[in-house]
Amino acid sequence: MQLSDKKATLSFSDGTPSVEFPIYQGTVGPDVIDIRKLYGETNMFTYDPGFMATASCESAITYIDGEKGQLLYRGYPIEQLALNCDFLDVCYLILNGELPNGDQKKEFDSLVTHHTMVHEQMQYFLRGFRRDAHPMAVLTGLVGAMSAFYHDSTDINDPHHRHVSAIRLIAKMPTLVAMAYKYSKGEPFIYPRNDLSYTGNFLRMMFATPCEDYEVNEVVERALDRIFILHADHEQNASTSTVRLCGSSGTNPFAAIAAGVGCLWGPAHGGANEACLTMLEEIQANGGLDYVGEFMEKVKDKSSGVRLMGFGHRVYKNYDPRAKLMQETCKEVLSALGLENDPLFKLAMELERIALEDEYFVERKLYPNVDFYSGIVQRAIGIPTSLFTAIFALARTVGWIAQWSEMLSDPNYKIGRPRQLYTGEVERDVPTGR
Ligand code: ACO
């Protein structure tokens, strides 16, 4: 970051002397006021619940311009990456800062491919869960448990260890998600195969059985790969900030990523695609297109507590660029699978049409986010709703681990320790004779 010529001055209405703060500039996007000395100089904290105006770190991985609806990974627009790259290209880019050349790509693909198996003991751990456990509960446990299986790569101060952990996590997440799915179905686990692509291998581990050959459908493979690309990173969102905060204590990478999985689970974050599909199914069950108008009235009535899931975003105040790509993919997949008349897709298109014209949504700048269409695509592929957020976690793992590693190599890195505005009781004595 670069020091700006400008400075910020904080003045007080009670005559307390004003304080000056340096301003830093990034390459693009808002500048930041460096308030690290604020408490020392004024005995005051800043108050910003929800981090509405707080840059928690310096990062060179992902840039979002929410007003424009722009998303860049290492400077490259998401639209170009989605059209010209596969998910492992994007993983390489996010981890290393540049797209791989031919040899680097071959080596990286092979490295990831040769780390997809998990320790055989892992399945006995998995078998301890109830078969009807939510996949995110299972995944939180499995990812956390990886630290018990792979403790030869947990020296967080060694860049090589960090790299090995990153490869292990990226490679093994599909295996773990597929195992969680197979376990919930009571079907045998399917071991990875090295002659398939990352996404093709995942599809096979999910949907093959030992009884017959499984052929990967290329349209489905490309669609799922695109879902992975679109979810790979999203700067300092709630789960990534969780991974950074958890990792800032010096804990091992698997524990930090498990914390991210737990955060992602919530319906305001990664759980939104599951919630969005549940919402579409409910609308369908209540009369489908005929019920859309009534449903939208409920959404606009704050006392109903109903939100239009898959709409709105803390950062995007314009169309989420990922939602546009997802809508295209949705059309492709439905047509390739002969599901063009899918009623939920029609419902989604109608909800979107109404919302984009309705004053409630227009004035609040609420647009479809990536989750609005990704659930329909996943459902068409055959992925059960309860697994949607686990698929998101699989894809976001590369972003989490890259952000965690970036934090550890940052000379300004410190344990994350926010402060508070205390409004509880002042000191008092415990009554005697209780
Ligand atoms: N439906 C109806 N109203 C909404 C919605 C929605 N989906 N989202 C926001 N609003 C309204 C709020 O009620 C609020 O109205 P008000 O100003 O009259 O009080 C206004 O828009 C601003 O919303 P906030 O909740 O303050 O915005 P915030 O940035 O905190 O929330 C969030 C963002 C959590 C994503 C929100 O838009 C939401 O709940 N959306 C639905 C869930 C969802 O799709 N999440 C996925 C996010 S993308 C991801 O994680 C990959």
Side-chain angles (χ1 to χ4, degrees), residues 329-351:
T329 301
C330 193
K331 282 187 187 151
E332 266 167 41
V333 168
L334 294 179
S335 121
L337 300 178
L339 300 169
E340 295 93 337
N341 292 322
D342 180 66
L344 295 196
F345 182 60
K346 288 202 166 143
L347 266 184
M349 298 276 286
E350 181 59 7
L351 285 170

Side-chain angles (χ1 to χ4, degrees), residues 123-400:
Q123 61 165 292
Y124 298 103
F125 175 66
L126 173 61
R127 285 179 201 281
F129 284 96
R130 286 168 56 134
R131 297 248 178 203
D132 62 356
H134 193 283
M136 286 301 276
V138 175
L139 202 61
T140 313
L142 291 181
V143 174
M146 280 178 79
S147 49
F149 289 90
Y150 304 103
H151 32 78
D152 57 334
S153 65
T154 51
D155 178 358
I156 60 158
N157 298 314
D158 180 338
H160 176 65
H161 275 215
R162 297 210 294 268
H163 182 64
V164 173
S165 297
I167 298 296
R168 281 183 168 151
L169 276 154
I170 293 165
K172 294 181 202 306
M173 275 300 252
T175 314
L176 296 178
V177 173
M179 282 172 78
Y181 173 60
K182 286 298 196 192
Y183 183 70
S184 72
K185 297 257 294 176
E187 287 183 8
F189 302 128
I190 301 292
Y191 287 87
R193 273 186 65 148
N194 291 354
D195 58 342
L196 295 174
S197 72
Y198 183 86
T199 306
N201 178 47
F202 175 62
L203 282 166
R204 186 177 168 277
M205 289 191 292
M206 285 280 295
F207 299 120
T209 65
C211 327
E212 54 191 19
D213 289 340
Y214 176 82
E215 212 167 298
V216 177
N217 176 321
E218 278 178 23
V219 177
V220 168
E221 181 183 15
R222 182 70 206 138
L224 194 57
D225 202 71
R226 182 176 272 193
I227 290 183
F228 293 165
I229 292 173
L230 300 184
H231 288 85
D233 194 45
H234 215 225
E235 54 118 309
Q236 309 312 319
N237 57 84
S239 58
T240 301
S241 299
T242 301
V243 169
R244 279 186 178 257
L245 189 58
C246 182
S248 77
S249 71
T251 191
N252 72 76
F254 306 108
I257 303 297
V261 176
C263 176
L264 189 73
W265 192 355
H269 192 10
N273 51 16
E274 181 178 343
C276 182
L277 203 79
T278 307
M279 171 191 81
L280 292 174
E281 281 165 348
E282 271 167 25
I283 298 175
Q284 183 63 14
N286 279 295
L289 288 170
D290 294 338
Y291 178 63
V292 166
E294 197 184 318
F295 177 76
M296 288 303 249
E297 287 312 311
K298 273 196 194 159
V299 167
K300 291 189 279 177
D301 172 9
K302 289 285 164 59
S303 64
S304 73
V306 177
R307 282 201 165 198
L308 181 57
M309 299 313 285
F311 251 74
H313 198 276
R314 169 60 62 79
V315 182
Y316 293 117
K317 300 301 168 201
N318 198 329
Y319 219 105
D320 176 344
R322 303 167 302 169
K324 274 194 194 136
L325 292 158
M326 213 58 246
Q327 193 197 51
E328 259 173 40
T329 301
C330 193
K331 282 187 187 151
E332 266 167 41
V333 168
L334 294 179
S335 121
L337 300 178
L339 300 169
E340 295 93 337
N341 292 322
D342 180 66
L344 295 196
F345 182 60
K346 288 202 166 143
L347 266 184
M349 298 276 286
E350 181 59 7
L351 285 170
E352 179 182 339
R353 190 191 64 75
I354 296 176
L356 293 180
E357 288 171 0
D358 191 298
E359 206 175 316
Y360 174 95
F361 294 91
V362 174
E363 74 185 17
R364 289 172 178 78
K365 298 189 177 171
L366 299 170
Y367 291 86
N369 60 50
V370 66
D371 293 322
F372 197 62
Y373 286 104
S374 73
I376 301 174
V377 177
Q378 293 188 57
R379 174 172 154 275
I381 292 174
I383 295 170
T385 316
S386 62
L387 208 73
F388 289 179
T389 316
I391 303 271
F392 188 163
L394 182 173
R396 183 55 58 83
T397 295
V398 61
W400 287 332

Side-chain angles (χ1 to χ4, degrees), residues 100-117:
N101 62 29
D103 287 345
Q104 290 165 332
K105 168 80 164 126
K106 253 197 201 151
E107 198 187 319
F108 186 72
D109 283 7
S110 163
L111 194 63
V112 172
T113 304
H114 289 91
H115 279 86
T116 48
M117 284 205 295

